[in-house]
Structures are given as C-alpha cells and as structure tokens.
Amino acid sequence: MSTLTEPVRVTTPGNPVSRSVRDSMVIAQRNLIRMSRIPEMIIYGLIQPIMFVVLFTYVFGGSMRIGGSSSAVDYKNFLMAGIFAQTVTFATASSGAGIADDMHKGLIDRFRSLPMARGAVLTGRTLADLVQTAVTLVVLAVVAVVVGWRVGSDGSTNAGKVLAAFGLLLLLGYAFTWIGALIGMSVRTPEAATSSGLIWLFPVTFISNAFVDPAHMTPWLRHVAEWNPFSATAQAARVLFANPGRSTSHAWPMEHPVWASLIYSILIIAVFRTLAVRKYRSATA
C-alpha cells in the first residue's frame, strides 16, 4: 500500500544571503542559456526600438521644436535618451510574459521542491532580462550613432558620464522588470502578462519628456510628465550625454534628474520586489 507524502525540503548550510545570491545566479544562468538558444527573442526585441529611432528621426524630426530650435539634428540628439529609456522599460512586458509562462508550464512548482531561496527564482529571471536589455542597449546605441546621434557636442561630458547615463537607464530597466515580475505572478497566461504590461507602459512612456518637451503640454499633463520616473531618467541621460533638452521646469525631478532617477529606481525595486516575492510565496505555498 502506497501513501502520498509531501516533498522533502532539504536545507543547505551557509549564510542565507550568500545562498540566495548563489541560487539567483544559477537561475539567471539557466535563463541566459535558454535565451541564447532562441536568438529570435533578442532579434525581435531589437526591431521595435530601431523602428522608433528611424520613424521619429526621419518622419517627425523636421517638425519638432526643442528649445526653440527646429533643427532635425537637435531633435535627433534630444530623442535618443527617450528611445533608450523606452527600450529598457519595454523589457518589462517580456519579463512578465516569461514568468507567467514558467508558472503556466508548472516550472515554478518544480523549483518549489528544490532547497533554494524563495526569492531566487524571480531575482535570477530579472537579472537575465537585465543582461538581455544591456545587449539590446549596446546595439541600439550603435544604430543611434549611425543615424547621427552624438554626445557632448558642447564638450561638457566624458566617458564616465556617458557610462553613468547608461547605468541609470539599465537601473530603471531593472526596476521596471520587477513590476513585470509582479504582473507575471498575478495573471494566468503569458498573453495576459504581455497585454497587461503594455497597457500601463504606453502612458508612462508617452506622458513624459521622452519625445517632446513637456513645456508644450497642458498644465496638468505637464506636471504628470515632470514627476514621472521615466522622465527623470530620460532627463538624467540627456544631462550626462550633454544632449539638447535641458529643462526649464522648477519641478524637483527636473532640477535634479540624476538623483531623482536613482531614488525612483531604488524605490521601485524595493517596493515591487517585496510584492513580487510575497506573491511568489503565496502562489506556491
């Protein structure tokens, strides 16, 4: 006569923090290996931002005014920080869809039976997505240079500031992947995760200073754009790149965009990582 028993949970010795880091790295490696075997995931992820660069640069660039200038070159340099920020945040949808897919296939239940840190599954997934986002950002920067984007036209930037700008962009992207992780844990199918991820991303990215100067918006919409975390990172990137579009707004995030970007991203990570891990624990309890 056979009896059903609960899976045996084996605890591994060692510091809980180091164990969590080790488990997260294992999950991240697993996801990176899977991504490398499906190169179309990266290819399709590159197509959309490249299309935005081409469309906004050559279709809308001539009619856009930045700081009183209608120069297509000025708008091109203004635009790229917004395109970079949009690219890293749109990775949220794929992150949520991937986690929802793992849930749908029962992979999360398999991880549950292993002696591993509870937050490692989500942390590993978001770290793998961060690596993919970094690769996409590098390729997009090359494309931007090809179409005429330049940094430091006034000589007020350097390599350290440029790297810091890309670091802030990746930090924002990582923060937003935790929002995607929470969405992926909260829906039943990958399709629902993708749709729900894009629904809120579009207003966040377009009600901002990514593509136009908020000074031309109606007052209430301008205030929303100026306090948008997305706007803070885009503005911080422009400042560090020494690109056109320095804000004349007196809103604190626009006067101190680098600090605002750091604070926003850290707060988003702290809040949504806590919520996502809690959701993971309750979903697999």
Side-chain angles (χ1 to χ4, degrees):
M1 181 176 178
S2 61
T3 59
L4 297 176
T5 59
E6 292 291 328
V8 178
R9 299 186 183 277
V10 182
T11 58
T12 57
N15 187 292
V17 175
S18 62
R19 209 180 84 209
S20 178
V21 171
R22 183 178 64 250
D23 293 343
S24 299
M25 291 300 103
V26 170
I27 297 298
Q29 183 181 20
R30 172 254 175 192
N31 281 284
L32 288 172
I33 291 173
R34 186 175 68 170
M35 290 175 185
S36 68
R37 293 174 178 172
I38 313 175
E40 55 266 29
M41 290 176 62
I42 299 178
I43 294 173
Y44 291 145
L46 284 170
I47 292 175
Q48 184 178 10
I50 290 175
M51 287 177 60
F52 271 107
V53 171
V54 175
L55 288 173
F56 276 88
T57 298
Y58 295 108
V59 177
F60 303 112
S63 60
M64 295 292 187
R65 292 182 177 272
I66 300 299
S69 170
S70 59
S71 168
V73 175
D74 287 344
Y75 181 69
K76 189 183 302 178
N77 288 327
F78 170 87
L79 171 70
M80 287 315 306
I83 294 290
F84 291 149
Q86 184 193 52
T87 300
V88 299
T89 53
F90 268 40
T92 301
S94 62
S95 179
I99 292 173
D101 187 50
D102 288 345
M103 287 284 292
H104 184 67
K105 292 178 178 177
L107 188 62
I108 299 297
D109 290 334
R110 297 179 190 177
F111 286 135
R112 176 191 173 194
S113 65
L114 299 176
M116 61 190 304
R118 279 288 178 256
V121 174
L122 299 181
T123 301
R125 173 72 203 204
T126 56
L127 288 175
D129 289 334
L130 179 63
V131 173
Q132 182 180 354
T133 301
V135 172
T136 303
L137 200 57
V138 169
V139 175
L140 188 60
V142 173
V143 174
V145 171
V146 170
V147 300
W149 172 65
R150 297 293 183 268
V151 301
S153 56
D154 59 358
S156 62
T157 192
N158 53 49
K161 289 183 179 180
V162 171
L163 291 176
F166 283 115
L168 287 176
L169 289 164
L170 288 174
L171 183 62
L172 179 72
Y174 183 67
F176 273 48
T177 56
W178 279 108
I179 302 177
L182 179 60
I183 293 173
M185 294 296 304
S186 304
V187 298
R188 297 183 179 180
T189 64
E191 294 79 9
T194 302
S195 299
S196 57
L198 292 175
I199 286 173
W200 66 272
L201 272 174
F202 273 103
V204 166
T205 55
F206 281 93
I207 305 177
S208 70
N209 62 1
F211 308 111
V212 296
D213 186 350
H216 302 301
M217 299 180 182
T218 57
W220 71 269
L221 203 59
R222 183 175 68 247
H223 293 313
V224 173
E226 289 170 346
W227 286 88
N228 185 344
F230 183 89
S231 295
T233 300
Q235 191 64 26
R238 288 192 187 104
V239 170
L240 294 171
F241 288 147
N243 281 158
R246 293 179 181 269
S247 177
T248 57
S249 168
H250 296 295
W252 188 85
M254 295 297 99
E255 291 185 331
H256 309 278
V258 174
W259 282 109
S261 178
L262 278 171
I263 293 170
Y264 275 137
S265 294
I266 292 171
L267 283 176
I268 291 171
I269 293 171
V271 171
F272 284 93
R273 187 185 188 280
T274 301
L275 294 175
V277 172
R278 183 178 299 171
K279 185 72 175 178
Y280 172 84
R281 287 174 175 170
S282 63
T284 59

